[in-house]
Amino acid sequence: MSGVAHEVIFRFSDAVEYRVLMMSGASVLDAALDQGVPILYQCRSGTCGSCVGRLASGEAPMRSKVAASLLKSEQEEGLRLTCACDATTDCVIELDYESSAGEVRPEKASVFINSIDWVAKDVVRLRLELADGHWMNFEPGQFVQIQVPGTQEYRRYSMATAPEELPQMELLIRVLENGAMSDYIRGRAQIDDVLEIEGPYGSFFWRKDLKSPHVFIAGGTGLAPMMSMLDVIRSKNGTKPDLLLSFGCQDQSSLFHGEDLELREFWMPTLRTRISVDRGEQVAGTRLGNPVDAVVPEDITPDTVAYLCGPPRMIEAAHQHLEELGVKAENIHAEQFVASE
């Protein structure tokens, strides 16, 4: 190898540190994996966002035209996709999960389709079951990669159920007018079809905090990982934190899971939900507007943690809005849903 060597320290939330010596020209992620750092990753191309970390010191600029899943505002706050950045000085990169999280490596598995339910005009709930002899653990909020039957294409979907429900899991899939998975769901998918999946992936998952108030902001099928997190929180012993879920869709015909959310409010007295639609008529139980603006100053405390999942514009608006309300940048965890089709 040639070039200048720099030391990169990877610091996990459980205070475990790994020191990596890397040469110029290699990505931070490649150097970390080569030297045994248990960092989470998936695509290695800058699109999935799984390998994100926060640059605490040093210089590690992003490579141009690579960081599609990282907002400009997030980069300005110090976030980096380690697969798409280079250390040009000695650096410290902080990872906001425990070092043990990366010890669970993705597995390939076969699943059967148990049911296909249209829950909105363009959203399908797919109930899956792991085949005998196959298993997969995951953290609430993570996603799996599915091979579209009859193709070499793959799509990513977050689990909408808690790990305790394995070997069964649910996915919420937005069905578009055109696209490999959408065409399969709309025209060919049948009960008992076998799908090939791989996972889990992603650094967007619940941080096992039962003390801080939580704010969840979800747009469309970005509700899926929030359902998983809520169900895990519900299963924990002890007092639950204050929980606010702000969920929004384009219009009334796009809304789904209303009864499921009502049930969770009944089961969890500390949970409040606000449902918004961008346009159309306002009906009882919903508000006109977006799920970001539905969060108001009275919802925020100095210790609030936030989880965001939805399209990039919603994520960027939510980041800005929450920070203006006083949520610390390091307490905001986000997953962008970018259509592949």
Side-chain angles (χ1 to χ4, degrees), residues 24-47:
S24 58
S27 75
V28 170
L29 177 63
D30 286 343
L33 295 177
D34 287 345
Q35 298 177 55
V37 181
I39 189 171
L40 295 170
Y41 71 98
Q42 191 238 339
C43 70
R44 303 178 78 156
S45 64
T47 58

Side-chain angles (χ1 to χ4, degrees), residues 157-168:
Y157 301 102
S158 299
M159 274 69 76
T161 43
E164 289 78 9
E165 296 189 37
L166 290 169
Q168 299 188 37

Side-chain angles (χ1 to χ4, degrees), residues 206 210 216 229-236 240 268:
W206 184 56
L210 284 174
F216 303 92
M229 293 183 199
L230 287 174
D231 283 351
V232 168
I233 293 172
R234 178 168 63 92
S235 71
K236 298 297 180 183
K240 307 297 188 291
M268 304 169 67

Side-chain angles (χ1 to χ4, degrees), residues 26-321:
S27 75
V28 170
L29 177 63
D30 286 343
L33 295 177
D34 287 345
Q35 298 177 55
V37 181
I39 189 171
L40 295 170
Y41 71 98
Q42 191 238 339
C43 70
R44 303 178 78 156
S45 64
T47 58
C48 75
S50 298
C51 66
V52 67
R54 185 178 298 276
L55 184 66
S57 66
E59 298 293 332
M62 297 293 301
R63 295 173 177 175
S64 61
K65 300 180 181 179
V66 176
S69 66
L70 201 60
L71 302 171
K72 182 179 179 181
S73 59
E74 293 176 318
Q75 294 185 49
E76 291 172 349
E77 292 170 357
L79 294 185
R80 295 290 186 271
L81 294 178
T82 57
C83 72
C85 70
D86 303 276
T88 56
T89 68
D90 292 350
C91 297
V92 175
I93 294 179
E94 296 176 342
L95 302 160
D96 69 348
Y97 49 86
E98 296 180 355
S99 56
S100 59
E103 294 175 358
V104 178
R105 290 306 183 186
E107 301 280 353
K108 292 184 177 180
S110 297
V111 294
F112 293 93
I113 296 180
N114 278 346
S115 67
I116 306 167
D117 303 307
W118 286 85
V119 294
K121 67 175 183 180
D122 58 353
V123 177
V124 160
R125 177 176 58 202
L126 209 61
R127 288 194 173 102
L128 307 175
E129 184 169 347
L130 287 162
D132 288 345
H134 293 251
W135 195 254
M136 178 181 296
N137 291 313
F138 66 91
E139 295 287 343
Q142 289 188 303
F143 64 88
V144 290
Q145 178 174 273
I146 300 181
Q147 183 174 2
V148 182
T151 78
Q152 294 301 310
E153 297 190 54
Y154 295 83
R155 296 293 182 264
R156 298 190 294 263
Y157 301 102
S158 299
M159 274 69 76
T161 43
E164 289 78 9
E165 296 189 37
L166 290 169
Q168 299 188 37
M169 64 176 74
E170 290 183 5
L171 309 178
L172 294 173
I173 297 177
R174 184 184 176 206
V175 181
L176 307 175
E177 290 186 6
N178 297 291
M181 182 61 82
S182 295
D183 291 345
Y184 167 72
I185 292 292
R186 189 186 300 107
R188 308 195 315 274
Q190 299 289 330
I191 305 301
D192 291 332
D193 277 3
V194 178
L195 303 178
E196 302 303 322
I197 69 174
E198 186 173 354
Y201 292 114
S203 58
F204 179 73
F205 52 81
W206 184 56
R207 277 3 190 217
K208 302 179 182 178
D209 180 357
L210 284 174
K211 297 180 180 178
S212 303
H214 287 46
V215 170
F216 303 92
I217 302 179
T221 53
L223 181 64
M226 311 309 192
M227 299 295 287
S228 181
M229 293 183 199
L230 287 174
D231 283 351
V232 168
I233 293 172
R234 178 168 63 92
S235 71
K236 298 297 180 183
N237 294 325
T239 303
K240 307 297 188 291
D242 288 334
L243 307 166
L244 170 64
L245 170 64
S246 185
F247 168 51
C249 290
Q250 292 183 347
D251 52 41
Q252 295 290 337
S253 65
S254 300
L255 286 175
F256 56 95
H257 271 17
E259 292 183 358
D260 297 80
L261 295 177
E262 288 179 4
L263 272 175
R264 280 154 183 80
E265 281 189 301
F266 176 76
W267 290 332
M268 304 169 67
T270 63
L271 171 64
R272 296 168 293 146
T273 63
R274 292 179 193 152
I275 300 176
S276 305
V277 292
D278 288 335
R279 58 179 181 266
E281 62 175 327
Q282 183 176 4
V283 301
T286 64
R287 58 180 295 280
L288 284 177
N290 62 69
V292 175
D293 292 339
V295 180
V296 297
E298 292 75 21
D299 299 320
I300 304 302
T301 74
D303 299 322
T304 294
V305 296
Y307 293 87
L308 322 173
C309 192
R313 289 180 61 185
M314 189 209 83
I315 298 296
E316 188 163 24
H319 259 283
Q320 180 178 346
H321 182 62

